[in-house]
Amino acid sequence: MAFKDVMHKYNEISLIKRIIVGLVIGVILALLIPAGAEGFAGGVAEFLTLLGNLFVNALKAVAPILVFFLVISALANAKAAGSMKTVIILYIISTFVAAVVAVIASFLVPIDITLVVNPEVEQTSPQGVGEVLTTVIMNIVANPVGALTNANFIGILAWAIALGIALRAASQAVKDVFTAVSDAVSMVVRWVIALAPFGIMGLVYTSVSENGMDIFVEYGQLILLLVVCMFFIALVTNPLIVFICTRKNPYPLVLRCLKDSGITAFFTRSSAANIPVNMELCRKLGLNKDNYSVSIPLGATINMAGAAVTITVMAMAACHTLGIQVDPFAAVILSVLAAVSACGASGVAGGSLLLIPLACSLFGIDADISMQVVAIGFIIGVIQDSCETALNSSSDVVFTATAEYRQMIKEGKPVSIGKDAYSLDEID
């Protein structure tokens, strides 16, 4: 009974407050217990590192299963909805626009990063576009078991869509089974997220103890460029897309989504794990469940504007450091490639970083060098990945709502996207 009381008190505290406490404790412990400590202190250090690894691995383990069953259940039970096509188009446009913004910003603010270049390694000519497109196509038809095992989200999504559509002809009892499984997996995700403060404490401890408090100094400019690009997309280009679609003031919707979805995603650093939060926000906004039950899991997989920014900025920084000239035509190709690559980014912490070599290959950058860029991404990931996930996840709801309101406007129904329309805490 005492344990239940403790857990009840624990869960009553805001998740964000718990995460902040865990972050602060992680920094303090990193300053008190340096990396490589021995004896009791060394045991504490290993335990803290283990907490961080357990948290990340738990997210990585449950995310593929979550997306797989959520999409199957949503499609199998979905009724006809007129705005899904618009949602997908908005996802694609916003991701491409994000890549273009990142390319322009990289031209305006070129950044050098520390790379160890082997003079004996000759840079090959760019030939990555065809290879990347081939890889994407092959991932779509990958073995479904292998896709789940390897977190191949494109393959997972493709098989989930196929099975979901096929199961539309199944009996309601069969559909209910998949609904129950998706609900159960969502509950497991909530349990994992409830333990996020401990995992983040371990992750922060490891980062600070190994790199010191100057972890953000060496790559400060790079972090700033990434964050500015993401803020620009969240507060300028995304609202512009919403306005074009609805001809209404977009900021009440955008700011509500950033507050309710973006802040949580910032700390959990997982679009897939933030799916239950987004589903709840859509419910509070009074959106059509037949729409958002499909568009939100789909967005956690393919709506990756933040990932497109990360992939583009990091690749452009590598090019500038190596003296590789990027002409406007190559920049456009990079934007398309980054958008396509971003759609395959894993919806968990750090999911976009391993796609940086795909963009680097467009300019013939050696694999050893591109993996150094990936390593830099992990160093700055405490801020970069958090901002990226906040942008990705919050925009899932933004564009789901935008598509539905656009459909309502086309049907001649009244739509209000004003301040009062989003004071919706009382709508349940």
Side-chain angles (χ1 to χ4, degrees):
M1 186 64 181
F3 178 75
K4 289 184 178 180
D5 291 339
V6 171
M7 291 303 298
H8 181 69
K9 294 289 185 182
Y10 173 80
N11 289 322
E12 283 184 343
I13 302 174
S14 168
L15 176 62
I16 295 175
K17 293 180 180 178
R18 284 182 274 155
I19 289 175
I20 292 175
V21 171
L23 190 151
V24 172
I25 293 175
V27 171
I28 293 173
L29 290 176
L31 297 176
L32 296 177
I33 305 175
E38 299 180 354
F40 176 76
V44 173
E46 290 181 2
F47 176 72
L48 291 170
T49 301
L50 178 62
L51 285 179
N53 292 336
L54 285 175
F55 176 64
V56 171
N57 288 339
L59 288 177
K60 288 182 178 179
V62 75
I65 303 173
L66 177 69
V67 172
F68 186 67
F69 283 104
L70 274 178
V71 173
I72 289 178
S73 173
L75 287 177
N77 292 282
K79 300 176 182 178
S83 62
M84 272 306 303
K85 180 180 178 181
T86 305
V87 172
I88 295 173
I89 292 174
L90 290 175
Y91 283 169
I92 295 172
I93 290 175
S94 65
T95 302
F96 175 72
V97 169
V100 172
V101 169
V103 167
I104 295 173
S106 297
F107 275 127
L108 295 176
V109 187
I111 292 178
D112 284 320
I113 52 179
T114 303
L115 297 173
V116 179
V117 181
N118 186 347
E120 297 180 358
V121 176
E122 183 179 354
Q123 299 299 321
T124 59
S125 59
Q127 53 182 345
V129 176
E131 294 176 3
V132 170
L133 294 177
T134 300
T135 301
V136 171
I137 294 172
M138 294 305 297
N139 282 341
I140 289 175
V141 295
N143 182 291
V145 177
L148 286 168
T149 303
N150 300 319
N152 167 17
F153 278 80
I154 289 292
I156 292 169
L157 181 63
W159 282 105
I161 290 174
L163 289 173
I165 294 173
L167 285 169
R168 290 177 65 83
S171 65
Q172 188 59 46
V174 174
K175 296 178 182 179
D176 289 343
V177 170
F178 281 91
T179 300
V181 173
S182 67
D183 290 343
V185 176
S186 297
M187 181 60 68
V188 172
V189 171
R190 292 190 183 95
W191 292 343
V192 173
I193 296 303
L195 299 175
F198 300 100
I200 290 173
M201 178 178 66
L203 291 172
V204 170
Y205 167 81
T206 302
S207 298
V208 176
S209 64
E210 291 181 356
N211 300 281
M213 290 300 291
D214 60 349
I215 181 176
F216 302 120
V217 174
E218 182 177 1
Y219 303 112
Q221 286 184 318
L222 187 59
I223 294 173
L224 183 61
L225 180 60
L226 286 165
V227 172
V228 168
C229 285
M230 293 178 191
F231 268 92
F232 184 84
I233 292 160
L235 298 175
V236 179
T237 61
N238 279 359
L240 181 60
I241 293 172
V242 175
F243 175 77
I244 292 173
C245 290
T246 64
R247 302 296 178 179
K248 303 284 186 178
N249 177 16
Y251 285 100
L253 171 63
V254 170
L255 296 178
R256 174 71 184 271
C257 292
L258 286 173
K259 179 175 74 73
D260 287 15
S261 173
I263 292 177
T264 305
F266 179 89
F267 287 106
T268 62
R269 298 168 63 190
S270 172
S271 295
N274 209 49
I275 287 174
V277 176
N278 282 349
M279 300 277 274
E280 177 65 15
L281 176 56
C282 286
R283 184 187 68 81
K284 288 183 177 180
L285 291 175
L287 303 181
N288 187 342
K289 187 175 182 180
D290 290 334
N291 287 336
Y292 71 73
S293 61
V294 176
S295 65
I296 295 303
L298 185 66
T301 303
I302 69 170
N303 184 34
M304 293 289 179
V309 170
T310 298
I311 294 168
T312 303
V313 168
M314 299 297 278
M316 290 288 287
C319 289
H320 186 262
T321 301
L322 298 173
I324 298 174
Q325 297 297 320
V326 180
D327 57 49
F329 180 73
V332 173
I333 296 178
L334 174 61
S335 299
V336 175
L337 177 61
V340 173
S341 301
C343 291
S346 170
V348 295
S352 64
L353 297 178
L354 293 179
L355 293 170
I356 292 172
L358 296 178
C360 289
S361 70
L362 178 64
F363 304 102
I365 296 176
D366 182 72
D368 290 339
I369 296 176
S370 62
M371 288 310 297
Q372 291 180 47
V373 180
V374 173
I376 293 172
F378 279 107
I379 292 175
I380 66 174
V382 173
I383 292 180
Q384 167 267 324
D385 197 37
S386 296
C387 293
E388 174 186 316
T389 308
L391 173 61
N392 291 342
S393 192
S394 62
S395 61
D396 292 347
V397 183
V398 169
F399 294 125
T400 295
T402 299
E404 185 163 326
Y405 292 126
R406 177 179 173 82
Q407 183 68 22
M408 293 172 64
I409 292 172
K410 289 175 63 177
E411 294 174 355
K413 298 178 180 178
V415 175
S416 176
I417 309 183
K419 181 177 180 181
D420 294 339
Y422 288 95
S423 299
L424 298 176
D425 291 334
E426 74 280 5
I427 297 181
D428 285 317

